[in-house]
Amino acid sequence: MSTRTELFEGALILTDKGPRIVVGMTPLTYVTRGIDGGIEEIDWREVESAREILEGRIEAVSYSVTAAWEGLSTAGKEQALDRQEVVLEILTGYARGHAALAREGEPFWPFNPKDQHSLRFRLAQMSKRLEQGYSVDRARHRENENSPARSKRRLGPSSPNTLRNWCTAYTRSVNGGVFALIDGRRNRQQSLYESLEPEIRRIADEQVSRLDGSTSDLNIDELYRRTILALRSEGLTDLGVPEKTVRSYLSHLKKRAGRTTRSQRTNHLRGSSSLTSFPALRPGQVVAIDVTRADNLVWDQWSQKVISVEIITALDVASRVVLGVRVVPRSADSHTAGLILYDVLRPFVMAIEPDEVHDWRWAGVPESLGLLPDAVSEAESISRAGAPLIGEQAIPGVLPESIRADHGSIFTSAHFRNLCERFQINLLLSRGKKPTDNAFVERWHETLQRCLQQAHGHKGRNVSQRGSDVGKLRVINDKPVFLGDGPLLTARELELHLKEFITVDYHRSWHQGLTLVDRQVSAYDAELRMTPLDIFDAMLAATGRLHVLQRPDLIYDLLPIVWGTIGHAGVEFKNLTYDCRELDEFRNVTKGFFRDGDRAAPFFRDPHDVSRVWFRHPDSDRIIEVPWRKAHQLEAPMTDAMLAEASKRVRQRGGNRALNSGSAQKEILDQLNDVGDLERLRRNPEMSDWSESSLIAARMRTARSKFDHAEAQGLMDSTEPVKLFQDRTTSDDTSAGDDLSSYFDDVWPDYDESET
């Protein structure tokens, strides 16, 4: 209805009271005459063109009929206008209602107003004429012959009583006009099942409402049976149940609920989501964290097996910057959730060289990034030319005000809650069974598909997407290879691949969900395409410098604290004795030295590596590593879970009562090495309660723990100052055109350098 048209004297405008002919114009209105001869002015702003749908019938329509008119099909509009012509010819003698628009030969007998025939006579003659015209309509006959089931009859024979009803409805002062002539079957409103008793509809609604995705799907026969039983249980046996109508109503409800359990769950949750975007205004206001299963199989070098892993991600809602990502074994625990918070708190840089991409490393935060116009100008240059890949790419860090997570046990655990309380972070838990509460990170999981499908070992999201060769391994050059694919990545390589994708691709790509909130910036009105890092920089410049913890020993603030008394033999936790020379000065401290009431001192304990604990020196504030006395004899990964399994076996052999104090630790050591022996675990049926996957997960967690602590210790021992982020828009090392294919060939087989 948006096509432009020029109205003229004699043009026809369709209004809710019938057609009106334009007889004159003023600077702001059209002067029109109705079929009764009355003059009325219509504001030109209340008129729309009708050329697109009713060319040759009317020139324009008024806004008073636009909404209802647009709801009709073309056939419905044509039928209503045909009936209007019949009614107008009966009442005025002219099919278009006005003598000035008379067609050739009009007015026909007996509809000339001068003849003054009775309405009854005119109705009878019009009915007769319609019947004669219908019988000789050759086009209609051809339509019926070619497609009898789809005959497009516009206006068939009508009895005089039907025509009288049309005229009466058309001339009503309320709800009259052309819309009174619309076929009710084409203009049905609201309910299609008004004939059903309200109680029957209520029971049927209740039965279908239970299809929310949590139960298996039901067919119409079962839903009908349950509806009848529910009616009988409520004593509604006197209601006449029209089976065909009830089944049709149930089918209508089930289609709306969803044909599959997945669609039923989606439709059930649809009403719980917000109708507007979250108004996050600054980085760190809300950080979304979630865990998802990696859709790639990875190779575990220690067990020589193909395993599945999980990906835990922290996403800044305001800028969509990925603040931290880790590949972890199944299933993630509360300490893993604490480690991703550690990644959120500390900023990173990632160095990219022509032949190598380094892992993320800890860095500081610059004092300022310039003013907002500078950030916009920088973003514009990036969008047009692309920032160089070579150099150091920034991954910012923030101190979150709030964390959005689901009700998973890792986020509701006492450890994670204590961390949020320690750093004064609000923990916002999503409502049960409503993943839309954390929609931003859920959408990130979809973006991850672009990264995971570039790596070898992609197995699809479910079995319906899984290729027939997935799982068929061949060893080529000592590397496991899927048929038709390539060498599988290890968990560590997969994590590095994710970080490369985030740094080089995701953070540097236009994000359609990001816009600037300052409309005074001309770039916003020009619909500037912004990347996550662009928005982060712009928001950071507008809100001021972010204050985050920049200590290299930050990881120890996120470890659980245990209290133990330092004696001559060291400090003991769970029958394990830890000791080192740095504890000598604290072996004979007085009560209240560390806390009131006793001589216990605080130690940091990593559940993923309990072969050592850490102690912060109260004077120098230096972190001291305190190893287990028998750690040098340890051959197995020593996590909390492994220690619990070894302790259980000691208890089964009689516990510490059967041992002296000197042999207790040796027994635990033997059991740890026993449980950690993969070949023995595979051969010994008595050890079946300790699964091979649990042992693989323990080794992965311990290896990652050693990596994180070695990184922290290296930073603390370094005499060089912490390096700040480099500017992403400039680099003195090399240009954007340097060849990276030598590195990316192994990770991104289909890497196209020109696209970056």
Side-chain angles (χ1 to χ4, degrees):
M1 303 278 293
S2 60
T3 303
R4 181 177 178 179
T5 188
E6 295 182 3
L7 294 184
F8 49 88
E9 291 188 12
L12 202 62
I13 301 176
L14 180 62
T15 70
D16 56 346
K17 300 300 182 183
R20 304 191 68 87
I21 186 173
V22 178
V23 296
M25 300 182 187
T26 70
L28 298 177
T29 62
Y30 299 110
V31 182
T32 64
R33 178 185 294 120
I35 62 175
D36 57 355
I39 300 296
E40 180 181 339
E41 292 187 10
I42 301 179
D43 194 309
W44 64 270
R45 292 170 296 184
E46 297 180 0
V47 177
E48 281 189 325
S49 169
R51 182 180 301 171
E52 289 183 353
I53 58 172
L54 299 171
E55 186 173 2
R57 308 291 295 272
I58 57 177
E59 282 71 38
V61 295
S62 66
Y63 278 121
S64 59
V65 301
T66 299
W69 194 252
E70 284 300 314
L72 294 175
S73 64
T74 301
K77 297 171 187 176
E78 293 285 350
Q79 185 187 58
L81 292 177
D82 287 344
R83 290 182 177 183
Q84 179 180 249
E85 290 182 358
V86 171
V87 171
L88 290 176
E89 188 169 3
I90 294 173
L91 297 179
T92 67
Y94 303 97
R96 304 188 72 181
H98 300 274
L101 302 176
R103 296 173 178 172
E104 185 178 356
E106 288 186 342
F108 296 104
W109 182 89
F111 306 110
N112 193 331
K114 296 180 180 180
D115 295 339
Q116 297 184 348
H117 291 292
S118 67
L119 177 61
R120 180 177 180 180
F121 182 75
R122 283 178 284 165
L123 293 173
Q125 291 300 316
M126 179 59 72
S127 176
K128 182 178 179 180
R129 195 175 79 176
L130 291 176
E131 185 175 357
Q132 291 174 346
Y134 181 76
S135 63
V136 297
D137 188 350
R138 297 184 180 276
R140 179 188 61 80
H141 285 297
R142 285 194 298 271
E143 283 183 358
N144 289 341
E145 291 174 0
N146 296 332
S147 181
R150 298 184 178 181
S151 177
K152 299 180 180 179
R153 184 181 70 180
R154 288 172 54 185
L155 196 63
S158 301
S159 66
N161 287 336
T162 299
L163 298 179
R164 183 186 298 275
N165 292 335
W166 290 358
C167 293
T168 302
Y170 189 83
T171 56
R172 283 198 303 255
S173 58
V174 180
N175 297 328
V178 68
F179 292 107
L181 303 178
I182 297 174
D183 193 327
R185 291 169 295 183
R186 301 182 184 273
N187 194 32
R188 285 186 174 178
Q189 303 293 324
Q190 304 300 325
S191 176
L192 300 176
Y193 302 93
E194 295 180 354
S195 61
L196 281 179
E197 292 287 343
E199 292 299 323
I200 297 178
R201 294 174 60 185
R202 176 180 64 82
I203 296 296
D205 290 342
E206 291 177 357
Q207 298 303 317
V208 179
S209 66
R210 297 172 183 173
L211 300 178
D212 58 359
S214 60
T215 60
S216 299
D217 190 30
L218 301 175
N219 58 26
I220 300 301
D221 290 337
E222 178 59 21
L223 289 173
Y224 177 76
R225 185 188 71 83
R226 295 189 180 191
T227 301
I228 298 300
L229 291 179
L231 287 170
R232 292 177 181 175
S233 65
E234 294 189 13
L236 302 175
T237 56
D238 57 337
L239 296 177
V241 180
E243 180 177 350
K244 184 176 180 180
T245 305
V246 172
R247 287 180 176 273
S248 176
Y249 184 59
L250 289 171
S251 178
H252 169 71
L253 294 178
K254 191 171 185 295
K255 182 178 180 180
R256 186 171 60 185
R259 294 298 184 186
T260 64
T261 54
R262 181 173 182 177
S263 62
Q264 289 167 7
R265 179 175 177 82
T266 300
N267 293 333
H268 178 71
L269 296 174
R270 194 179 303 280
S272 64
S273 61
S274 175
L275 300 178
T276 58
S277 300
F278 178 78
L281 302 177
R282 56 190 178 277
Q285 187 174 2
V286 177
V287 173
I289 301 179
D290 200 7
V291 184
T292 187
R293 181 74 58 84
D295 295 330
N296 289 57
L297 295 174
V298 300
W299 180 253
D300 181 62
Q301 295 173 311
W302 176 71
S303 64
Q304 297 292 295
K305 286 188 61 176
V306 175
I307 61 174
S308 294
V309 291
E310 293 180 340
I311 301 172
I312 181 169
T313 309
L315 186 77
D316 178 53
V317 171
S319 63
R320 309 298 200 276
V321 163
V322 176
L323 301 172
V325 63
R326 286 180 178 244
V327 173
V328 298
R330 299 166 47 197
S331 293
D333 55 14
S334 60
H335 185 60
T336 301
L339 290 175
I340 199 66
L341 180 57
Y342 166 60
D343 291 342
V344 170
L345 292 172
R346 64 172 191 161
F348 300 91
V349 292
M350 188 173 190
I352 301 180
E353 299 176 1
D355 57 349
E356 185 178 5
V357 176
H358 298 278
D359 200 356
W360 288 6
R361 62 182 182 82
W362 192 90
V365 175
E367 286 293 332
S368 66
L369 291 175
L371 301 177
L372 182 59
D374 298 332
V376 173
S377 176
E378 174 186 341
E380 187 175 10
S381 65
I382 293 176
S383 301
R384 292 178 178 176
L389 290 175
I390 305 303
E392 290 190 346
Q393 310 296 325
I395 298 90
V398 299
L399 179 58
E401 295 180 21
S402 303
I403 287 179
R404 168 68 75 179
D406 57 29
H407 274 270
S409 59
I410 66 174
F411 302 118
T412 59
S413 64
H415 172 64
F416 192 74
R417 288 180 179 272
N418 290 338
L419 290 179
C420 291
E421 183 178 356
R422 184 184 307 174
F423 293 103
Q424 298 181 352
I425 300 172
N426 297 319
L427 180 58
L428 308 176
L429 296 177
S430 304
R431 294 168 293 174
K433 297 184 179 181
K434 290 179 174 59
T436 50
D437 284 355
N438 209 4
F440 300 104
V441 73
E442 297 290 349
R443 179 60 184 84
W444 159 252
H445 292 162
E446 298 295 326
T447 303
L448 270 179
Q449 290 297 312
R450 185 155 51 94
C451 170
L452 296 176
Q453 292 179 16
Q454 296 172 1
H456 301 314
H458 184 258
K459 60 183 176 62
R461 309 189 70 171
N462 50 58
V463 293
S464 65
Q465 300 178 0
R466 191 165 301 168
S468 59
D469 287 340
V470 174
K472 298 179 180 178
L473 287 177
R474 296 290 185 273
V475 178
I476 302 176
N477 297 328
D478 296 329
K479 291 185 177 181
V481 179
F482 273 160
L483 292 180
D485 200 350
L488 294 184
L489 303 179
T490 64
R492 184 67 181 147
E493 291 171 340
L494 178 61
E495 181 175 308
L496 182 60
H497 175 61
L498 291 174
K499 293 175 179 178
E500 294 169 11
F501 169 79
I502 292 168
T503 305
V504 178
D505 187 329
Y506 173 72
H507 277 173
R508 297 165 48 86
S509 300
W510 170 45
H511 197 296
Q512 298 183 19
L514 298 177
T515 57
L516 287 176
V517 297
D518 190 351
R519 288 185 175 270
Q520 295 180 355
V521 179
S522 60
Y524 176 85
D525 297 328
E527 297 183 357
L528 176 66
R529 295 184 174 184
M530 303 292 285
T531 68
L533 283 181
D534 297 337
I535 292 295
F536 188 94
D537 291 346
M539 287 184 171
L540 187 61
T543 59
R545 181 174 180 269
L546 292 175
H547 296 281
V548 298
L549 303 173
Q550 301 182 50
R551 299 195 314 275
D553 58 357
L554 175 63
I555 189 172
Y556 299 100
D557 290 332
L558 287 95
L559 296 181
I561 296 177
V562 292
W563 292 81
T565 302
I566 304 174
H568 294 287
V571 60
E572 184 175 323
F573 298 109
K574 295 186 177 181
N575 296 320
L576 303 180
T577 303
Y578 302 82
D579 200 6
C580 68
R581 293 188 181 278
E582 286 82 356
L583 297 182
D584 289 345
E585 59 181 302
F586 305 106
R587 299 187 192 275
N588 295 300
V589 297
T590 59
K591 289 183 179 181
F593 186 87
F594 293 104
R595 69 177 181 181
D596 294 338
D598 57 23
R599 298 170 49 243
F603 289 84
F604 301 109
R605 184 175 183 272
D606 188 344
H608 290 175
D609 184 10
V610 296
S611 65
R612 50 188 172 166
V613 294
W614 290 267
F615 174 71
R616 187 184 293 277
H617 197 285
D619 297 329
S620 64
D621 206 36
R622 185 169 59 91
I623 295 293
I624 300 171
E625 179 181 335
V626 185
W628 179 37
R629 279 180 170 272
K630 294 187 177 294
H632 62 284
Q633 302 178 26
L634 193 63
E635 299 175 0
M638 193 171 174
T639 64
D640 253 348
M642 290 284 291
L643 180 60
E645 178 66 19
S647 299
K648 183 182 73 172
R649 296 184 182 279
V650 170
R651 289 193 299 271
Q652 291 174 349
R653 294 190 180 186
N656 292 339
R657 296 178 181 178
L659 304 170
N660 57 44
S661 58
S663 60
Q665 293 193 79
K666 184 179 183 305
E667 181 70 11
I668 293 177
L669 175 65
D670 292 342
Q671 290 299 323
L672 278 170
N673 290 335
D674 222 14
V675 174
D677 189 332
L678 182 61
E679 293 301 324
R680 184 176 299 181
L681 183 64
R682 290 171 173 172
R683 293 193 307 267
N684 191 349
E686 297 179 358
M687 302 176 67
S688 59
D689 55 338
W690 179 253
S691 65
E692 184 176 340
S693 60
S694 300
L695 183 57
I696 295 173
R699 283 196 172 272
M700 290 179 62
R701 291 189 175 107
T702 301
R704 184 54 189 264
S705 177
K706 293 183 182 300
F707 176 87
D708 289 335
H709 289 290
E711 178 190 51
Q713 291 291 336
L715 288 168
M716 290 185 289
D717 296 340
S718 176
T719 58
E720 298 181 1
V722 176
K723 192 172 184 180
L724 302 182
F725 290 163
Q726 273 193 352
D727 184 2
R728 292 190 299 276
T729 61
T730 59
S731 176
D732 297 332
D733 296 336
T734 183
S735 64
D738 287 337
D739 184 22
L740 297 177
S741 59
S742 60
Y743 176 79
F744 285 113
D745 280 345
D746 293 336
V747 182
W748 289 351
D750 300 324
Y751 181 78
D752 186 356
E753 182 182 346
S754 62
E755 294 182 358
T756 61

